[in-house]
Amino acid sequence: MTVETREPTPEAAARIAQVMDEYRDHVNPGLARLMQFAGFADVEATASGTTLTTVADVKYLDFVGGYGVFSLGHCHPAVIAAVRRQLDLLPLSTRTFFNSGPAGLATRLASLAPGDLEYAFFCNSGAEAVEAALKFARCATGRPGFVSSIDSFHGKTFGALSVTGREKYRKPFEPLIPGVSFVPYNDADAARAAITEQTAAMIVEVVQGEGGIHVAAPGYLRALREACDRVGALLIVDEVQTGMARTGPLFAVEAEGVVPDIMPLAKALGGGVMPIGATLATPWVWERVFAENPLIHTSTFGGNPLACAAAMATLDVIEQEGLGAAAVERGEQLLTGLRAIQRDIPGALVEARGRGLMIGVEFAVKDVAEIAINGMARRGVIAAYTLNNPKVIRMEPPLNVSAQEIDHALAAFRESTEEAVAMLDGIDE
């Protein structure tokens, strides 16, 4: 199995060379070199559904999914139509009058979110949503400290980076915000010991995405909820990547029956068409943050009419197309297939794990994972490794991926893994 390729036309080749030069000269020289070395010297052109087409006219099955952005696939017609309608009316708010976009979306999210998460602040990205969550926690509690998890990922802006559990990304920018401690993920005892009367909030992911697709153990989130309640700290559950039915339920925390005090959202909320983030919180938090000064935290573009129209259409599509159930069904198919490959290629793979269509497969050797990703691309399937653990290949296809496309990706993964193992002449732990 190999992707259908042909020599790009002279026009396409010139365009690819131009974009690569522009990246090298004006965007990110290191990234340009890395992408070229890894064999991804092409340029995106168009996308539809689960398929990405490059300038060289090569088609790929997208199993990266924008790291959770394209849960509805690329260019879903219902979301595109909603944004086009709004574009002709009012693309951006004047911020002078009320606007129906954020009002309607906040009301919709309040009706869908667990417990008493009744208020929403809108922004443009997951990192911004986490920044707001941290500020709200400090303001509401009057406390300085935060507890996070080792290998967590919450974003790369200053505050979000401060609670991201990978020193590689924090070190060059230190000192970051003080008062942050890190505990092992899924270690409830360590979290209980770290959460004190000085803790504003514990921030946690239901599934650690960049940490290697590690799922919260049964009872772990409930233990964190109890530990926070014991000392009056808040619980922030980061649903930036797991929200919008990626793991099955609309919000992954629903599977644990736990209600956080603050819940950041982003990525798939815009339906893969518009960037939008949201920070949901309880009335108790909102009163303490905004009662005295309603302008204490704002965003010029957050909750703009185009983004809100996209988000409303996204919620419609998830419900109408049953994408939560689809994520569970297709996720079981993918996980079962990966585990079969693990059994058939002894020693190559450590574990396949995940929830819904947020799946990770861990290799015994990092080099094998890197070669396998390249091999999958040559077979027409794009995947990526997790930032905090390059031994883990993540698979996050659109939730409307078909059973046949899952089978195609599994075949590409099997062939690529076998090829990588053979290239390195076997694997030693």
Side-chain angles (χ1 to χ4, degrees), residues 198-211:
Q198 293 300 305
T199 302
M202 167 90 191
I203 183 167
V204 68
E205 301 159 274
V206 183
V207 181
Q208 276 196 334
E210 303 301 344

Side-chain angles (χ1 to χ4, degrees), residues 342-422:
Q342 179 185 354
R343 291 192 299 270
D344 294 344
I345 313 177
L349 307 177
V350 175
E351 184 184 23
R353 55 181 178 260
R355 182 181 290 178
L357 275 172
M358 191 170 178
I359 304 292
V361 55
E362 184 169 352
F363 284 73
V365 176
K366 178 173 69 72
D367 290 347
V368 177
E370 293 173 351
I371 295 171
I373 287 174
N374 184 275
M376 290 179 71
R378 286 187 282 106
R379 291 167 174 84
V381 181
I382 54 172
Y385 59 80
T386 58
L387 280 179
N388 289 347
N389 189 349
K391 289 184 179 181
V392 178
I393 290 182
R394 67 196 305 156
M395 297 190 186
E396 296 184 47
L399 306 185
N400 47 19
V401 65
S402 69
Q404 292 75 20
E405 288 169 330
I406 294 284
D407 286 339
H408 176 78
L410 286 168
F413 178 79
R414 178 185 290 273
E415 291 181 10
S416 300
T417 302
E418 290 173 340
E419 178 183 66
V421 170

Side-chain angles (χ1 to χ4, degrees), residues 87-310:
L87 185 63
D88 289 333
L89 299 174
L90 182 71
L92 294 177
S93 169
T94 66
R95 302 292 177 182
T96 305
F97 301 99
F98 291 118
N99 188 278
S100 61
L105 179 57
T107 301
R108 180 87 173 269
L109 289 172
S111 72
L112 296 170
D116 58 345
L117 292 168
E118 296 178 6
Y119 288 89
F121 170 81
F122 294 110
C123 53
N124 309 285
S125 69
E128 288 179 67
V130 169
E131 291 283 342
L134 299 176
K135 287 180 67 177
F136 295 173
R138 270 197 173 175
C139 185
T141 64
R143 299 176 177 184
F146 293 98
V147 179
S148 186
S149 304
I150 296 169
D151 283 335
S152 63
F153 185 87
H154 299 289
K156 291 178 180 173
T157 53
F158 216 62
L161 182 60
S162 299
V163 295
T164 288
R166 183 79 190 279
E167 188 177 8
K168 173 182 178 180
Y169 299 110
R170 297 196 312 269
K171 192 70 175 175
F173 303 100
E174 291 177 344
L176 298 170
I177 65 171
V180 180
S181 59
F182 295 92
V183 297
Y185 188 69
N186 273 332
D187 188 334
D189 290 337
R192 288 190 194 98
I195 298 169
T196 71
E197 286 78 5
Q198 293 300 305
T199 302
M202 167 90 191
I203 183 167
V204 68
E205 301 159 274
V206 183
V207 181
Q208 276 196 334
E210 303 301 344
I213 315 296
H214 292 287
V215 181
Y220 177 58
L221 296 180
R222 286 191 295 275
L224 297 184
R225 174 75 277 175
E226 292 166 2
C228 289
D229 290 344
R230 175 176 52 84
V231 298
L234 303 182
L235 178 63
I236 303 171
V237 176
D238 183 343
E239 291 258 16
V240 167
Q241 194 165 167
T242 54
M244 301 298 104
R246 170 57 54 183
T247 68
L250 189 62
F251 307 105
V253 74
E254 294 179 70
E256 303 298 321
V258 171
V259 179
D261 301 288
I262 305 175
M263 188 168 72
L265 307 171
K267 290 193 182 291
L269 182 58
V273 175
M274 291 295 299
I276 181 171
T279 305
L280 308 188
T282 65
W284 187 92
V285 172
W286 227 249
E287 174 70 17
R288 282 154 182 79
V289 175
F290 289 105
E292 185 175 335
N293 180 0
L295 300 178
I296 197 167
H297 188 76
T298 58
S299 170
T300 300
F301 296 114
N304 68 75
L306 291 177
C308 288

Side-chain angles (χ1 to χ4, degrees), residues 20-82:
M20 290 175 60
D21 287 344
E22 289 169 343
Y23 260 79
R24 188 177 299 109
D25 295 341
H26 303 293
V27 180
N28 190 325
L31 180 62
R33 289 191 297 270
L34 178 63
M35 293 285 284
Q36 188 167 15
F37 176 77
F40 291 90
D42 205 341
V43 176
E44 298 173 328
T46 63
S48 178
T50 57
T51 302
L52 170 72
T53 303
T54 69
V55 168
D57 199 27
V58 181
K59 298 185 185 302
Y60 294 95
L61 178 60
D62 184 2
F63 261 57
V64 177
Y67 309 101
V69 170
F70 299 109
S71 290
L72 275 56
H74 294 271
C75 299
H76 194 287
V79 184
I80 294 289

